[in-house]
Amino acid sequence: MESFFDNVIIEATVQFVEEHQEAVGQLNATLKPSVPGNAEFVQRITHLLREPLGPLLLGLEVLLREESLSPRGVEMIGLLHRGVKKEADAIEELLRSTELFEKDAAG
């Protein structure tokens, strides 16, 4: 049986992840590190996007260990954890590619 806690946590986390993924998608679609002058801006944005992901991943890991979660709750939290981890990895990749671009441009 699902608890009220399960539903609140799942809904809030899903909403946060969807909004964050949309922001990352828009950033990736509109800003290319290969455009001169954008590298520093992209670095700043990726750092801002990355900041909330660490605590979110930690919170999801804690929730996965919560014994009162229903099996569906555990499944949803696991799904969200994988999605947030994938997003964090994509942001890190964008940041690394920007840093590599700057090194190449510097010569």
Side-chain angles (χ1 to χ4, degrees), residues 45-63:
I45 295 298
T46 54
H47 283 292
L48 290 173
L49 290 171
R50 185 174 59 173
E51 278 181 31
L53 297 181
L56 182 59
L57 283 169
L58 180 61
L60 290 169
E61 289 170 11
V62 168
L63 286 172

Side-chain angles (χ1 to χ4, degrees), residues 17-33 38 41-42 45-46 49 87 90-91 94:
V17 170
E18 287 173 350
E19 289 171 1
H20 203 71
Q21 286 176 333
E22 183 178 324
V24 170
Q26 289 174 354
L27 176 68
N28 286 337
T30 58
L31 297 175
K32 302 292 181 193
N38 277 349
F41 179 71
V42 171
I45 295 298
T46 54
L49 290 171
E87 183 176 337
I91 291 169
L94 178 61

Side-chain angles (χ1 to χ4, degrees), residues 22-98:
E22 183 178 324
V24 170
Q26 289 174 354
L27 176 68
N28 286 337
T30 58
L31 297 175
K32 302 292 181 193
S34 60
V35 178
N38 277 349
E40 185 178 336
F41 179 71
V42 171
Q43 283 184 335
R44 287 182 191 166
I45 295 298
T46 54
H47 283 292
L48 290 173
L49 290 171
R50 185 174 59 173
E51 278 181 31
L53 297 181
L56 182 59
L57 283 169
L58 180 61
L60 290 169
E61 289 170 11
V62 168
L63 286 172
L64 282 172
R65 294 185 189 104
E66 178 62 43
E67 292 179 13
S68 66
L69 283 174
S70 67
R72 182 172 179 267
V74 171
E75 183 181 332
M76 288 298 300
I77 297 297
L79 178 69
L80 291 169
H81 185 273
R82 288 187 297 277
V84 172
K85 178 71 173 118
K86 184 177 177 181
E87 183 176 337
D89 292 344
I91 291 169
E92 287 297 321
E93 186 176 327
L94 178 61
L95 185 58
R96 279 192 304 274
S97 69
T98 303

